[in-house]
PDB file of all heavy atoms in Angstrom:
ATOM      1  N   LEU I 304     -33.043  -8.984 -28.655  1.00 89.00           N
ATOM      2  CA  LEU I 304     -33.208  -8.896 -30.159  1.00 89.00           C
ATOM      3  C   LEU I 304     -34.348  -9.849 -30.632  1.00 89.00           C
ATOM      4  O   LEU I 304     -34.582 -10.921 -29.987  1.00 89.00           O
ATOM      5  CB  LEU I 304     -31.894  -9.306 -30.839  1.00 89.00           C
ATOM      6  CG  LEU I 304     -30.755  -8.287 -30.678  1.00 89.00           C
ATOM      7  CD1 LEU I 304     -29.409  -8.948 -30.859  1.00 89.00           C
ATOM      8  CD2 LEU I 304     -30.919  -7.181 -31.721  1.00 89.00           C
ATOM      9  N   ASN I 305     -34.944  -9.490 -31.720  1.00 89.00           N
ATOM     10  CA  ASN I 305     -35.893 -10.419 -32.350  1.00 89.00           C
ATOM     11  C   ASN I 305     -35.134 -11.279 -33.379  1.00 89.00           C
ATOM     12  O   ASN I 305     -33.909 -11.171 -33.495  1.00 89.00           O
ATOM     13  CB  ASN I 305     -37.033  -9.625 -33.013  1.00 89.00           C
ATOM     14  CG  ASN I 305     -36.597  -8.670 -34.093  1.00 89.00           C
ATOM     15  OD1 ASN I 305     -35.546  -8.781 -34.663  1.00 89.00           O
ATOM     16  ND2 ASN I 305     -37.436  -7.658 -34.365  1.00 89.00           N
ATOM     17  N   ALA I 306     -35.894 -12.098 -34.076  1.00 88.00           N
ATOM     18  CA  ALA I 306     -35.234 -13.047 -35.038  1.00 88.00           C
ATOM     19  C   ALA I 306     -34.398 -12.309 -36.045  1.00 88.00           C
ATOM     20  O   ALA I 306     -33.280 -12.714 -36.400  1.00 88.00           O
ATOM     21  CB  ALA I 306     -36.332 -13.931 -35.633  1.00 88.00           C
ATOM     22  N   GLU I 307     -35.023 -11.253 -36.650  1.00 89.00           N
ATOM     23  CA  GLU I 307     -34.335 -10.542 -37.688  1.00 89.00           C
ATOM     24  C   GLU I 307     -33.079  -9.878 -37.149  1.00 89.00           C
ATOM     25  O   GLU I 307     -31.965  -9.952 -37.780  1.00 89.00           O
ATOM     26  CB  GLU I 307     -35.279  -9.502 -38.288  1.00 89.00           C
ATOM     27  CG  GLU I 307     -34.875  -8.931 -39.636  1.00 89.00           C
ATOM     28  CD  GLU I 307     -35.797  -7.817 -40.033  1.00 89.00           C
ATOM     29  OE1 GLU I 307     -36.852  -7.538 -39.435  1.00 89.00           O
ATOM     30  OE2 GLU I 307     -35.446  -7.171 -41.064  1.00 89.00           O
ATOM     31  N   GLY I 308     -33.210  -9.233 -36.021  1.00 90.00           N
ATOM     32  CA  GLY I 308     -32.017  -8.635 -35.375  1.00 90.00           C
ATOM     33  C   GLY I 308     -30.971  -9.617 -35.047  1.00 90.00           C
ATOM     34  O   GLY I 308     -29.784  -9.368 -35.279  1.00 90.00           O
ATOM     35  N   SER I 309     -31.360 -10.807 -34.588  1.00 91.00           N
ATOM     36  CA  SER I 309     -30.370 -11.784 -34.236  1.00 91.00           C
ATOM     37  C   SER I 309     -29.568 -12.286 -35.424  1.00 91.00           C
ATOM     38  O   SER I 309     -28.386 -12.576 -35.365  1.00 91.00           O
ATOM     39  CB  SER I 309     -30.955 -12.977 -33.453  1.00 91.00           C
ATOM     40  OG  SER I 309     -31.526 -13.883 -34.334  1.00 91.00           O
ATOM     41  N   ARG I 310     -30.287 -12.336 -36.594  1.00 91.00           N
ATOM     42  CA  ARG I 310     -29.562 -12.702 -37.812  1.00 91.00           C
ATOM     43  C   ARG I 310     -28.520 -11.714 -38.207  1.00 91.00           C
ATOM     44  O   ARG I 310     -27.379 -12.086 -38.576  1.00 91.00           O
ATOM     45  CB  ARG I 310     -30.532 -12.962 -38.981  1.00 91.00           C
ATOM     46  CG  ARG I 310     -31.305 -14.311 -38.898  1.00 91.00           C
ATOM     47  CD  ARG I 310     -32.045 -14.640 -40.191  1.00 91.00           C
ATOM     48  NE  ARG I 310     -33.159 -13.701 -40.344  1.00 91.00           N
ATOM     49  CZ  ARG I 310     -34.381 -13.980 -39.817  1.00 91.00           C
ATOM     50  NH1 ARG I 310     -34.602 -15.084 -39.099  1.00 91.00           N
ATOM     51  NH2 ARG I 310     -35.375 -13.127 -40.008  1.00 91.00           N
ATOM     52  N   GLU I 311     -28.868 -10.422 -38.137  1.00 90.00           N
ATOM     53  CA  GLU I 311     -27.920  -9.394 -38.489  1.00 90.00           C
ATOM     54  C   GLU I 311     -26.717  -9.388 -37.529  1.00 90.00           C
ATOM     55  O   GLU I 311     -25.533  -9.329 -37.944  1.00 90.00           O
ATOM     56  CB  GLU I 311     -28.600  -8.001 -38.379  1.00 90.00           C
ATOM     57  CG  GLU I 311     -29.717  -7.794 -39.409  1.00 90.00           C
ATOM     58  CD  GLU I 311     -29.240  -7.650 -40.799  1.00 90.00           C
ATOM     59  OE1 GLU I 311     -27.988  -7.543 -41.025  1.00 90.00           O
ATOM     60  OE2 GLU I 311     -30.047  -7.661 -41.743  1.00 90.00           O
ATOM     61  N   VAL I 312     -27.026  -9.511 -36.249  1.00 92.00           N
ATOM     62  CA  VAL I 312     -25.949  -9.480 -35.249  1.00 92.00           C
ATOM     63  C   VAL I 312     -25.069 -10.692 -35.362  1.00 92.00           C
ATOM     64  O   VAL I 312     -23.781 -10.666 -35.190  1.00 92.00           O
ATOM     65  CB  VAL I 312     -26.499  -9.257 -33.836  1.00 92.00           C
ATOM     66  CG1 VAL I 312     -25.510  -9.563 -32.733  1.00 92.00           C
ATOM     67  CG2 VAL I 312     -27.190  -7.952 -33.664  1.00 92.00           C
ATOM     68  N   THR I 313     -25.703 -11.849 -35.652  1.00 94.00           N
ATOM     69  CA  THR I 313     -24.914 -13.087 -35.793  1.00 94.00           C
ATOM     70  C   THR I 313     -23.929 -12.964 -36.950  1.00 94.00           C
ATOM     71  O   THR I 313     -22.749 -13.366 -36.869  1.00 94.00           O
ATOM     72  CB  THR I 313     -25.833 -14.299 -35.989  1.00 94.00           C
ATOM     73  OG1 THR I 313     -26.712 -14.361 -34.864  1.00 94.00           O
ATOM     74  CG2 THR I 313     -25.123 -15.598 -36.088  1.00 94.00           C
ATOM     75  N   ALA I 314     -24.428 -12.431 -38.056  1.00 92.00           N
ATOM     76  CA  ALA I 314     -23.538 -12.259 -39.260  1.00 92.00           C
ATOM     77  C   ALA I 314     -22.366 -11.335 -38.896  1.00 92.00           C
ATOM     78  O   ALA I 314     -21.210 -11.576 -39.216  1.00 92.00           O
ATOM     79  CB  ALA I 314     -24.373 -11.711 -40.397  1.00 92.00           C
ATOM     80  N   ASP I 315     -22.693 -10.276 -38.141  1.00 92.00           N
ATOM     81  CA  ASP I 315     -21.653  -9.383 -37.710  1.00 92.00           C
ATOM     82  C   ASP I 315     -20.607 -10.050 -36.736  1.00 92.00           C
ATOM     83  O   ASP I 315     -19.404  -9.935 -36.971  1.00 92.00           O
ATOM     84  CB  ASP I 315     -22.328  -8.200 -37.010  1.00 92.00           C
ATOM     85  CG  ASP I 315     -21.421  -7.019 -36.763  1.00 92.00           C
ATOM     86  OD1 ASP I 315     -20.316  -6.967 -37.411  1.00 92.00           O
ATOM     87  OD2 ASP I 315     -21.771  -6.122 -35.988  1.00 92.00           O
ATOM     88  N   LEU I 316     -21.185 -10.860 -35.828  1.00 92.00           N
ATOM     89  CA  LEU I 316     -20.288 -11.567 -34.911  1.00 92.00           C
ATOM     90  C   LEU I 316     -19.401 -12.492 -35.681  1.00 92.00           C
ATOM     91  O   LEU I 316     -18.189 -12.559 -35.404  1.00 92.00           O
ATOM     92  CB  LEU I 316     -21.216 -12.325 -33.904  1.00 92.00           C
ATOM     93  CG  LEU I 316     -20.466 -13.297 -32.959  1.00 92.00           C
ATOM     94  CD1 LEU I 316     -19.614 -12.535 -31.978  1.00 92.00           C
ATOM     95  CD2 LEU I 316     -21.453 -14.174 -32.193  1.00 92.00           C
TER      96      LEU I 316
END
Side-chain angles (χ1 to χ4, degrees):
Chain I
L304 288 157
N305 61 20
E307 197 184 352
S309 82
R310 280 193 290 274
E311 296 289 351
V312 169
T313 302
D315 193 13
L316 173 68

